[in-house]
Amino acid sequence: MPQIVGVHLYLERDGKVLLGLRHPDSAYAGSLWHFLAGHCETESATACLVREAYEEAGLVVDPADLDLVHVVHLLHRPGVPPRVQLFFRARRWEGVPKLREPDKCAAWRWWDPKDLPDALVPYARAAIEGIGAGRPYTETGWSR
């Protein structure tokens, strides 16, 4: 079964990480906080993330300023395609997060990684914890 590649933008400002509140009617994770993210189409992971950052939040990111900081290999449930979730930290970016896709994201907020919201996508929490601990990789949903 082919695997889906997702990309996520890990932005830090003053020790806090940027998360978006998913719209309640979102196809995935409605009313949960999550990273600025997207699925790779016919493009590289960094090109996808640069595109998504601009489309979703009006942020301009240079691919040269992106560092891969974590990977989550995720299986939501048997029978659905597994996902490889790539988390990139941007060393620099231009702009302030704006709600450019209000049908998908209801708010942007900076969160202290030690005081994250309860309503957070579980694999996003795992990635934040992994990044904070310096671990490059997390698996979740796979039976042992």
Side-chain angles (χ1 to χ4, degrees):
M1 176 178 304
Q3 303 207 16
I4 297 169
V5 176
V7 294
H8 302 73
L9 187 59
Y10 188 88
L11 288 186
E12 287 180 315
R13 184 185 76 184
D14 301 324
K16 295 183 177 182
V17 62
L18 181 68
L19 297 173
L21 179 61
R22 306 278 300 159
H23 189 279
D25 297 332
S26 292
Y28 174 73
S31 300
L32 296 180
W33 291 90
H34 193 39
F35 286 97
L36 186 157
H39 295 119
C40 292
E41 296 170 8
T42 54
E43 61 201 335
S44 70
T46 55
C48 176
L49 194 52
V50 166
R51 175 181 57 77
E52 292 286 356
Y54 187 74
E55 288 176 2
E56 290 185 24
L59 300 174
V60 176
V61 179
D62 185 326
D65 290 326
L66 293 172
D67 296 318
L68 181 65
V69 293
H70 201 76
V71 176
V72 174
H73 197 196
L74 171 68
L75 182 62
H76 283 292
R77 64 185 180 278
V80 300
R83 295 173 185 261
V84 176
Q85 308 286 19
L86 306 175
F87 293 80
F88 291 89
R89 176 183 282 133
R91 284 178 264 120
R92 288 181 293 281
W93 68 90
E94 294 178 21
V96 175
K98 297 178 187 74
L99 292 174
R100 293 182 48 132
E101 295 181 330
D103 58 321
K104 295 180 182 175
C105 181
W108 293 112
R109 182 171 163 195
W110 297 93
W111 291 88
D112 184 323
K114 293 174 182 60
D115 189 26
L116 295 169
D118 290 335
L120 177 62
V121 170
Y123 81 83
R125 182 181 307 278
I128 292 169
E129 290 170 358
I131 292 165
R135 286 190 319 269
Y137 180 74
T138 300
E139 288 181 356
T140 185
W142 299 92
S143 58
R144 298 270 170 197

